[in-house]
Amino acid sequence: MRSGTLLAALPLVLLGATHASAQDRTTITACDTLIAARRIDAATGSARDAPEAGCRQIPKAEIGTVEQRALIGGAPYECMTITGAGRCLWVVP
């Protein structure tokens, strides 16, 4: 049973590693809405780099703590506090 749990989690780990390499290592993509973050996360190839309304690159140094969490289709999303933003922004995994 335990090995089944580890194998079930493996695709999520590999998926996250693929997306992480696509982003600049000093910034992350953060969005005003969860749906915008989800659209970017679901996109592939050059569509992943297309601008999405309400999204922007944020320096990692400005990222604070998790304010909200959501799990959609097995993918985790977090709304993180951002220095000077006034509210949390949804981070693209």
Side-chain angles (χ1 to χ4, degrees):
M1 184 82 164
R2 186 176 183 176
S3 63
T5 303
L6 291 174
L7 291 175
L10 186 58
L12 291 176
V13 172
L14 294 176
L15 180 63
T18 302
H19 292 316
S21 64
Q23 291 191 36
D24 179 332
R25 302 234 184 255
T26 60
T27 64
I28 61 160
T29 303
C31 303
D32 294 330
T33 64
L34 176 56
I35 191 68
R38 176 69 182 110
R39 282 186 195 132
I40 292 173
D41 189 35
T44 59
S46 61
R48 188 164 171 86
D49 297 327
E52 183 71 39
C55 298
R56 55 200 166 276
Q57 293 295 313
I58 304 287
K60 285 186 177 181
E62 293 181 15
I63 304 298
T65 58
V66 176
E67 194 170 294
Q68 297 178 41
R69 287 194 169 107
L71 188 65
I72 300 175
Y77 293 90
E78 296 178 328
C79 195
M80 310 285 290
T81 57
I82 308 294
T83 303
R87 64 183 209 84
C88 69
L89 297 176
W90 290 95
V91 174
V92 176

